[in-house]
């Protein structure tokens, strides 16, 4: 369950970041926020940045030490910007999301721990974590905003959770058939279209039957890769029909009584 | 190259979000920021939130319209919070990162477009995008902070980029670019094509300007998902030119000396 995953912010300076973290959590379906010795909380600025997630701020647990924040936790994952002298099991955000989600779904209590804006977590705090998580930022400018770091990890938790539930990570499918919610044209319908298209191109003078070059091949490749739906085909055929009429001088513009 | 990927923020209200977006970009190795009609920029608050990324703000391009922001772009990905009446090819953030990165590595110019804090992108703006990207947030509280949304997408771009650097064979190719082995059209070229197409459809009497229905939207969707190459675009434009001539009776069939 996602509510088994708590977000722990250690010694946060800027209340705006607490609010931003709360909003990111709620966006991704998490709700349990623990604040270790925050510098300025509760705060107007935290509420402002939380936007509609002030319920998470109101329910936030404020404690004095990291130890208290981690009571009952089976798995503790701590964010780390830097390489440490003592190498530690390291996860990237995706592995963190998967690990946290797997454990939470098995009933474990999981903590994602984030350090101070400028100094991160101390070595002692990091040693309370089973895993360190590093967001793979550009080494030339590696320090993420605190709320942004929370956003990345809770996003990965949600992606893992959706995958575990077999829920789609997007509201519609990329596949065009599903996307268009309708039938694709068949090969023979496509062939009729090409015949019609060729006829129209000859009529408007774009295709010379004596010297067709590779024009129809190119057009077949263009339209062929497009998974045209039946509704779209009706539009294309309609265009060709009107084009032929216009080219043959049988042209009656819509909205005019005559030409 | 990651610098081929630009982040476009449309009509942003809060300068803090512009600063936050700049910081997220620089953290993930991106640098090119385009601001469409920002409400308050330059701004002290943007600089404060950008932290060490004020170089990105200083180099940011400020333009009046989305069209200007997309000049030269081959692939336009727009973030969308809502279901739309006309379904559009949809990517989740991971697919977005892979697609953007793959195209950028092949030399294409890519835009990630983000809408207004409260209203997102308009339908018209969304129709300028080949793909929509939806961050799979909790439906009960779905709207991410703007800078947080930028963070998620640029994080996924970086994850895809890192994967591509380490395991070049594992990144799935978008078949079309490789298949065509040639340059894709840019967003502005596509817009010119739609203008030309609409003109031709009106001239042949297929499109009634008094009652356009969703015709152009449907055609945008059809052609927009197709990664049209420049050579193919020349063919399509040629067809439209000849169609217009034919419909206007300026018709000279090829292969005949006169009509």
């Amino acid at each position: 369950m996602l509510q088994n995953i708590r977000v722990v912010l250690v010694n946060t300076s800027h209340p705006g970041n607490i609010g931003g973290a709360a909003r990111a959590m709620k966006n991704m379906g998490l709700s349990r926020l623990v604040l270790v010795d925050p510098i300025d909380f509760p705060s107007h600025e935290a509420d402002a940045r939380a936007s509609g997630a002030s319920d998470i701020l109101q329910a936030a647990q404020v404690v004095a030490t990291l130890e208290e924040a981690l009571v009952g936790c089976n798995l503790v994952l701590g964010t780390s910007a830097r390489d440490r002298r003592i190498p530690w099991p390291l996860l990237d955000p995706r592995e963190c999301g998967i690990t946290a989600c797997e454990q939470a779904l098995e009933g474990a209590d999981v903590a994602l721990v984030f350090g101070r804006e400028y100094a991160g977590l101390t070595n002692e705090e990091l040693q309370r974590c089973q895993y360190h998580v590093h967001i793979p930022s550009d080494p030339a400018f590696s320090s993420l905003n605190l709320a942004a770091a929370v956003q990345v990890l809770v996003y990965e938790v949600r992606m893992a959770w959706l995958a575990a539930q077999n829920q789609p990570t997007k509201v519609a499918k990329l596949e065009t058939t599903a996307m268009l919610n309708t039938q694709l044209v068949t090969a023979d319908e496509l062939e009729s279209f090409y015949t019609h298209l060729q006829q129209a191109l000859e009529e408007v003078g774009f295709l010379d039957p004596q010297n067709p070059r590779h024009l129809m091949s190119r057009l077949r490749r263009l339209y062929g890769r497009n998974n045209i739906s039946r509704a779209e085909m009706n539009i294309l055929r309609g265009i060709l029909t009107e084009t032929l009429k216009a080219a043959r001088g049988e042209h009656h513009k819509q909205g005019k009584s005559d030409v």
Side-chain angles (χ1 to χ4, degrees), chain A:
Chain A
M1 300 286 89
L2 283 179
Q3 56 263 43
N4 289 358
I5 303 177
R6 69 186 77 172
V7 168
V8 178
L9 305 183
V10 177
N11 209 199
T12 309
S13 296
H14 298 301
N17 285 331
I18 298 176
R23 179 169 178 181
M25 288 171 62
K26 189 168 177 178
N27 283 145
M28 297 295 137
L30 301 193
S31 57
R32 196 165 165 202
L33 177 62
V34 185
L35 304 172
V36 178
D37 190 24
I39 306 296
D40 181 6
F41 184 85
S43 140
H44 217 64
E45 207 181 328
D47 289 323
R49 283 278 295 281
S51 193
S54 49
D55 53 330
I56 290 186
L57 294 181
Q58 276 150 31
Q61 194 186 345
V62 180
V63 297
T65 64
L66 178 58
E67 196 174 358
E68 291 170 74
L70 300 181
V71 168
C73 282
N74 307 100
L75 175 66
V76 181
L77 302 148
T79 51
S80 169
R82 288 164 286 171
D83 294 325
R84 301 284 164 172
R85 273 162 304 172
I86 303 177
W88 214 260
L90 194 70
L91 304 177
D92 73 19
R94 191 153 305 156
E95 294 165 329
C96 168
I98 291 167
T99 305
C101 191
E102 276 174 0
Q103 294 280 323
L105 288 171
E106 291 188 11
D109 273 307
V110 178
L112 304 177
V113 184
F114 298 83
R116 296 152 194 85
E117 282 92 340
Y118 303 106
L121 295 168
T122 64
N123 282 331
E124 197 198 337
E125 287 161 352
L126 279 164
Q127 290 186 14
R128 290 184 177 269
C129 306
Q130 282 104 315
Y131 294 95
H132 294 170
V133 182
H134 178 68
I135 297 174
S137 49
D138 188 338
F141 185 67
S142 64
S143 176
L144 270 73
N145 165 261
L146 174 57
V150 172
Q151 178 68 70
V152 168
L153 294 204
V154 296
Y155 156 75
E156 285 287 10
V157 166
R158 186 167 187 82
M159 289 291 275
W161 183 76
L162 290 169
Q165 308 290 105
N166 285 319
Q167 285 189 35
T169 53
K170 49 192 176 176
V171 285
K173 300 215 180 229
L174 177 61
E175 288 74 33
T176 37
T177 328
M179 173 192 105
L180 297 167
N181 192 27
T182 182
Q183 269 191 303
L184 297 187
V185 291
T186 59
D188 46 309
E189 288 166 339
L190 211 48
E191 287 304 317
S192 304
F193 165 68
Y194 292 134
T195 305
H196 198 175
L197 176 61
Q198 182 165 353
Q199 197 183 356
L201 294 182
E202 289 177 12
E203 197 68 37
V204 302
F206 188 71
L207 176 63
D208 178 5
Q210 303 309 310
N211 181 24
R213 293 162 298 154
H214 295 299
L215 187 60
M216 288 309 298
S217 304
R218 290 177 200 278
L219 288 166
R220 278 172 177 272
R221 187 175 64 176
L222 172 64
Y223 287 102
R225 68 174 188 259
N226 209 1
N227 295 323
I228 297 174
S229 75
R230 199 155 273 166
E232 289 174 331
M233 181 52 79
N234 287 339
I235 294 176
L236 294 175
R237 295 297 289 264
I239 292 173
L240 294 178
T241 299
E242 294 306 315
T243 300
L244 276 165
K245 279 193 210 161
R248 289 168 180 160
E250 302 159 11
H251 182 194
H252 293 266
K253 277 201 189 177
Q254 289 179 14
K256 295 185 182 179
S257 60
D258 219 338
V259 175

